C-alpha cells in the first residue's frame, strides 16, 4: 500500500466516515518516467464497523483513476443513500461507476461482518444482495468436505436441506465450485463454454435465470454464491460484474469466519494437515529435517530407559511405641501431659484417685496390729493353738497390706522412656472412671522414627527390601527425606477403597521438626524402565486381567 493510500485509510478510521481525496498529479513516491504521462487520481476509503463498536479497521483505499469519470464521487454515493441504510438498488441501476461499485462492495462486507456469527452474517448478506441485484433468490453455500452445504437463503430464516429444491441448488453451487468460475444459465453468447447440467435442471424447475460464482480464498474454493432472477432472460452484465466483485471480496471473509467458528478438534486436525503438507513438499527439505529430528527425539524419549519410581502415601511413626495402661480400676485424678509434650523417664504422667486405697491400707494396718497382739498374747500363755491361728492371720493381713501399698504406688503412672506423647489427651476427662487395662497414654521414643508406606497392590510386586527412595512431607514438600525399605508386610489392608500393603522403611536422616503422625508422598526407586512402559503398563495389566476373566 502506497503512502497516500495509508494516510487515507488512517484518516477514515480516526474520523469514522468515508474519506475521498481530491485528484493529484500522480503519487509523491512514484515519479513518472519520461515515457509516462501524469494522470490525475482519486482515493476512496470507508471505515468497517463490527456491530455497534467503534471502527477498528478501514477498507483499503481504492484508486478511482481519472477524476473526469467522477467529478465528485462522494457526493454521488451520498445521493444514492450509501451508509444510511437507503435502497442500494438505485446505485446499481445507474451508469457504471467505480466509486459506486467500491461503495457497494464495502457496504455488503460491512453487512456480513456486522453479525455475531457466520449463519447470521450469511443470511443478512444474502438478503441485502438479493435487494441490490433485484434477485428473486440468493443462496450462499460453503464447502464441507466434498459437498457444498447451503447455509443461507435470502428471505428464508429456515429451510430444509433435504428438500429437492435445496438439493438442486446445492448441485448448482457444486458445479460452480468444481469449475472455479462464474456459471450463467441461460448461457450468454459471449460466455466461455461451461458445464451447466445442474443449472439447467434448476432452471427447468424454477424458470429463473441463474448465475453462480465460486468464492475463493488463498487459491482454494471455500463456497459459492447463486443468484436467481425471475424470467428466462440472462441478467444484465452490470449485475454479473457486481456479483463477481462481491464474490472476490467475500471469499477471504468467509474463510476467516469459518476458521474462527471451527471447533478446537477441527483446528487441531487442520494444523496437522498443514504440517503434513509442509513435510511432503518436495521443494523445501527443511520441514522434513525438522520432522525427522522431532520423531527421533520423541522415540528416544519414549523408549530409552529412565528411572522408574513407585509413588504411594506415607506416614511417620515412632520406631517403638509404649502404651501406658490403667493398672487397676479407679478414677482419673490428674493428667500432667498432653499429646506433643516431651517427657523423660520417671516423669509422672497420670495420677489416679487414691482415697479408697488409703482407707484400705489403714484397715489392713489395724488388722495386722490386732493379729500381732493376739500372737504375742498366745505366746505369753503358751497357748500353742491360738499362737498358730494368730500367726496365720497376721501373715494374711501383712500380705494384703503389701498389695494395697503396691496399688497406691501404681496410682502414679510414670514415663518408662524418654519420648514424646503421641496419643492420649486426658485433660478433658478428669474424674472419669477407668478400668484395668485401658490405654491412657502412648509414648514414642524421641529421635527414632520409622516410615510406613501404603503401596497399591498393582505395584507391590516391584518393591523389595533394600530399595531406596525419597519422602516429601506435607509440612515441608521442598525438603525430601531419603529412606531405605526394610520390610514388606505380606498382609493387605483396604484404604480408601483400594487394596494396599504396608511397607516399612527406615529414614536415613531425621529432620529437625520431624514428628510422629506427619504424612506425605513417598517414591520408591524400582529400577529403570522405558517411558512407554511407565505410561502403559497399568492399562496393559488391566487389559490382560480383563481378557483372562472373560476367557474360557
Amino acid at each position: 500500500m502506497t503512502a497516500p493510500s495509508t494516510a487515507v485509510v488512517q484518516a477514515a478510521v480516526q474520523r469514522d466516515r468515508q474519506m475521498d481525496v481530491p485528484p493529484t498529479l500522480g503519487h509523491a513516491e512514484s515519479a513518472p518516467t519520461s515515457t509516462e504521462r501524469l494522470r490525475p487520481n482519486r482515493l476512496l476509503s470507508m471505515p468497517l464497523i463490527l456491530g455497534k463498536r467503534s471502527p477498528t479497521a478501514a477498507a483499503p483505499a481504492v484508486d478511482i483513476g481519472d477524476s473526469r469519470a467522477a467529478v465528485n464521487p462522494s457526493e454521488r454515493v451520498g445521493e444514492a443513500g450509501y451508509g444510511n441504510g437507503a435502497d442500494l438498488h438505485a446505485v446499481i441501476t445507474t451508469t457504471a461507476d467505480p466509486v459506486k461499485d467500491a461503495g457497494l462492495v464495502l457496504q455488503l462486507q460491512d453487512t456480513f461482518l456486522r453479525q455475531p456469527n457466520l449463519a447470521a452474517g450469511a443470511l443478512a448478506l444474502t438478503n441485502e444482495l438479493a435487494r441490490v441485484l433485484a434477485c428473486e433468490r440468493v443462496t450462499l453455500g460453503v464447502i464441507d468436505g466434498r459437498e457444498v452445504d447451503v447455509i443461507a437463503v435470502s428471505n428464508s430464516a429456515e429451510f430444509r436441506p433435504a428438500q429437492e429444491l435445496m438439493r438442486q441448488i446445492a448441485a448448482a453451487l457444486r458445479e460452480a465450485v468444481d469449475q472455479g468460475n462464474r456459471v450463467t444459465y441461460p448461457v450468454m453468447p459471449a460466455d466461455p463454454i461451461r458445464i451447466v447440467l445442474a443449472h439447467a435442471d434448476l432452471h427447468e424447475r424454477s424458470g429463473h435465470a441463474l448465475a453462480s460464482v465460486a468464492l475463493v480464498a488463498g487459491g482454494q474454493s471455500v463456497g459459492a454464491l447463486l443468484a436467481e432472477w425471475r424470467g428466462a432472460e440472462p441478467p444484465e452484465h452490470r449485475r454479473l460484474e457486481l456479483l463477481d466483485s462481491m464474490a472476490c471480496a467475500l471469499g477471504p471473509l468467509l474463510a476467516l469466519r469459518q476458521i474462527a467458528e471451527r471447533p478446537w478438534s477441527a483446528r487441531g486436525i487442520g494444523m496437522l494437515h498443514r504440517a503434513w503438507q509442509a513435510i511432503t513438499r518436495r521443494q523445501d527439505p527443511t520441514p522434513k529435517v525438522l520432522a525427522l529430528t522431532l520423531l527421533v527425539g520423541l522415540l528416544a524419549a519414549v523408549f530409552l530407559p529412565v528411572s522408574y519410581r513407585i509413588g504411594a502415601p506415607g506416614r511417620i511413626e515412632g520406631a517403638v511405641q509404649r502404651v501406658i495402661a490403667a493398672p487397676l480400676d479407679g478414677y482419673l485424678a490428674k493428667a500432667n501431659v498432653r499429646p506433643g509434650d516431651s517427657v523423660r523417664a520417671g516423669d509422672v504422667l497420670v495420677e489416679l484417685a487414691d482415697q479408697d486405697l488409703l482407707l484400705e491400707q489403714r484397715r489392713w494396718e489395724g488388722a495386722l496390729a490386732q493379729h500381732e497382739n493376739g500372737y504375742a498374747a498366745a505366746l505369753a500363755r503358751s497357748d500353742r493353738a491360738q499362737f498358730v491361728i494368730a500367726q496365720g492371720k497376721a501373715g494374711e493381713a501383712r500380705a494384703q497390706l503389701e498389695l494395697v501399698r503396691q496399688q497406691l504406688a501404681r496410682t502414679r503412672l510414670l514415663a518408662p522412656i524418654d519420648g514424646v506423647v503421641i496419643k492420649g489427651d486426658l485433660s478433658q476427662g478428669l474424674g472419669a472412671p477407668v478400668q484395668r487395662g485401658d490405654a491412657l497414654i502412648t509414648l514414642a521414643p524421641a529421635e527414632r522414627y520409622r516410615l510406613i508406606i501404603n503401596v497399591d497392590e498393582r505395584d507391590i510386586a516391584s518393591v523389595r527390601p533394600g530399595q531406596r527412595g525419597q519422602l516429601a512431607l506435607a509440612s515441608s514438600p521442598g525438603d525430601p527425606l531419603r529412606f531405605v525399605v526394610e520390610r514388606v508386610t505380606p498382609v493387605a489392608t483396604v484404604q480408601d477403597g483400594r487394596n494396599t500393603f504396608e511397607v516399612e522403611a527406615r529414614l536415613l536422616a531425621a529432620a529437625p521438626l520431624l514428628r510422629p503422625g506427619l504424612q506425605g508422598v513417598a517414591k520408591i526407586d524400582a529400577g529403570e524402565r522405558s517411558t512407554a512402559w511407565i505410561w502403559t503398563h497399568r492399562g496393559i495389566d488391566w487389559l490382560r486381567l480383563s481378557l483372562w476373566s472373560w476367557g474360557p
Side-chain angles (χ1 to χ4, degrees):
M1 185 180 291
T2 61
S5 302
T6 304
V8 175
V9 171
Q10 293 177 351
V13 173
Q14 294 173 357
R15 302 183 184 183
D16 192 13
R17 64 182 180 85
Q18 169 189 317
M19 296 301 300
D20 178 24
V21 179
T24 61
L25 293 177
H27 298 311
E29 73 280 3
S30 58
T33 62
S34 57
T35 58
E36 292 179 341
R37 180 174 59 86
L38 295 177
R39 64 177 181 85
N41 58 80
R42 184 180 296 273
L43 298 176
L44 175 67
S45 181
M46 312 182 78
L48 301 179
I49 302 175
L50 299 178
K52 298 183 179 179
R53 294 180 293 177
S54 300
T56 56
V62 181
D63 191 347
I64 303 304
D66 195 343
S67 61
R68 291 173 296 180
V71 177
N72 195 348
S74 60
E75 293 180 0
R76 297 178 63 180
V77 174
E79 293 172 359
Y82 172 75
N84 298 321
D87 189 2
L88 297 180
H89 176 57
V91 179
I92 196 172
T93 55
T94 60
T95 306
D97 192 330
V99 177
K100 298 173 184 176
D101 288 349
L104 284 173
V105 172
L106 292 176
Q107 176 67 9
L108 292 170
Q109 283 181 327
D110 177 71
T111 301
F112 177 71
L113 294 175
R114 190 182 296 271
Q115 304 303 321
N117 52 56
L118 176 61
L123 180 60
L125 175 67
T126 54
N127 291 338
E128 191 71 13
L129 195 57
R131 190 165 61 90
V132 170
L133 298 177
C135 295
E136 183 69 19
R137 181 170 53 229
V138 174
T139 306
L140 174 61
V142 297
I143 296 179
D144 184 10
R146 298 183 179 180
E147 301 296 330
V148 176
D149 291 342
V150 176
I151 63 171
V153 179
S154 61
N155 302 316
S156 298
E158 295 182 359
F159 57 89
R160 295 181 179 178
Q163 292 179 344
E164 181 63 25
L165 177 60
M166 290 295 103
R167 287 199 294 266
Q168 290 184 344
I169 290 176
L173 293 172
R174 178 79 256 184
E175 204 168 58
V177 169
D178 291 340
Q179 299 178 77
N181 213 320
R182 187 183 69 199
V183 179
T184 58
Y185 194 88
V187 180
M188 303 177 67
D191 288 346
I193 298 176
R194 307 284 187 205
I195 299 175
V196 294
L197 298 178
H199 288 72
D201 293 340
L202 182 59
H203 174 73
E204 182 179 356
R205 177 186 179 90
S206 63
H208 296 162
L210 310 174
S212 61
V213 59
L215 306 178
V216 181
Q220 295 183 349
S221 297
V222 295
L225 271 174
L226 174 65
E228 303 179 42
W229 287 269
R230 187 180 298 275
E233 294 298 326
E236 299 176 3
H237 186 67
R238 282 279 295 115
R239 304 183 190 278
L240 297 179
E241 288 183 348
L242 182 59
L243 184 63
D244 291 341
S245 300
M246 189 58 216
C248 294
L250 181 61
L253 299 180
L254 182 63
L256 290 176
R257 271 290 175 91
Q258 285 183 298
I259 294 175
E261 297 184 10
R262 189 179 301 171
W264 288 107
S265 58
R267 295 187 188 185
I269 294 174
M271 292 177 61
L272 294 177
H273 179 68
R274 289 191 296 272
W276 178 254
Q277 287 182 336
I279 293 173
T280 56
R281 192 182 301 125
R282 296 183 179 180
Q283 294 80 3
D284 188 5
T286 304
K288 299 181 178 64
V289 175
L290 293 177
L292 181 60
T293 304
L294 181 61
L295 180 60
V296 171
L298 182 61
L299 291 177
V302 170
F303 293 103
L304 286 180
V306 296
S307 178
Y308 172 50
R309 299 196 297 175
I310 299 173
R315 67 182 184 275
I316 299 294
E317 293 183 354
V320 178
Q321 293 186 3
R322 298 293 296 270
V323 176
I324 311 301
L328 46 86
D329 296 343
Y331 298 89
L332 287 175
K334 189 175 181 181
N336 298 326
V337 294
R338 300 178 63 182
D341 293 345
S342 298
V343 299
R344 301 182 66 85
D347 291 346
V348 179
L349 305 180
V350 180
E351 296 182 16
L352 300 179
D354 57 358
Q355 293 86 351
D356 293 342
L357 291 176
L358 290 174
L359 293 175
E360 188 74 10
Q361 180 183 9
R362 292 175 183 176
R363 185 173 71 85
W364 285 111
E365 286 177 349
L368 178 60
Q370 180 182 0
H371 295 313
E372 286 179 347
N373 292 334
Y375 166 81
L379 181 62
R381 295 192 308 268
S382 299
D383 189 348
R384 193 174 186 85
Q386 290 296 328
F387 174 80
V388 173
I389 293 173
Q391 188 180 21
K393 290 183 177 180
E396 180 184 3
R398 190 178 293 108
Q400 290 292 340
L401 180 59
E402 183 63 25
L403 177 60
V404 172
R405 287 174 179 175
Q406 291 182 2
Q407 289 178 343
L408 279 172
R410 289 200 295 268
T411 58
R412 301 174 74 246
L413 306 182
L414 307 180
I417 59 174
D418 296 344
V420 179
V421 178
I422 63 174
K423 188 184 299 184
D425 186 2
L426 305 178
S427 60
Q428 304 299 320
L430 297 180
V434 296
Q435 293 182 353
R436 183 177 181 179
D438 289 348
L440 302 180
I441 299 291
T442 302
L443 295 179
E447 305 300 331
R448 294 175 58 193
Y449 304 100
R450 68 173 182 174
L451 173 63
I452 301 299
I453 307 172
N454 296 105
V455 180
D456 193 281
E457 64 177 348
R458 295 173 293 182
D459 300 321
I460 195 62
S462 301
V463 180
R464 298 285 187 276
Q467 292 176 334
R468 294 177 179 265
Q470 290 184 325
L471 169 69
L473 295 173
S475 59
S476 56
D479 189 15
L481 303 176
R482 299 189 61 82
F483 63 86
V484 58
V485 176
E486 291 189 338
R487 184 171 179 268
V488 179
T489 305
V491 179
T493 58
V494 178
Q495 287 189 351
D496 299 330
R498 298 184 302 114
N499 220 26
T500 62
F501 289 82
E502 287 191 353
V503 176
E504 183 178 338
R506 174 174 51 87
L507 295 174
L508 298 179
L513 299 179
L514 204 60
R515 294 290 185 272
L518 294 178
Q519 296 184 353
V521 177
K523 290 192 174 182
I524 304 173
D525 296 331
E528 292 187 348
R529 299 285 191 277
S530 66
T531 306
W533 183 89
I534 294 174
W535 290 347
T536 61
H537 75 281
R538 285 198 173 182
I540 293 175
D541 291 343
W542 174 86
L543 182 60
R544 288 176 176 175
L545 185 61
S546 300
L547 293 176
W548 174 264
S549 61
W550 295 339

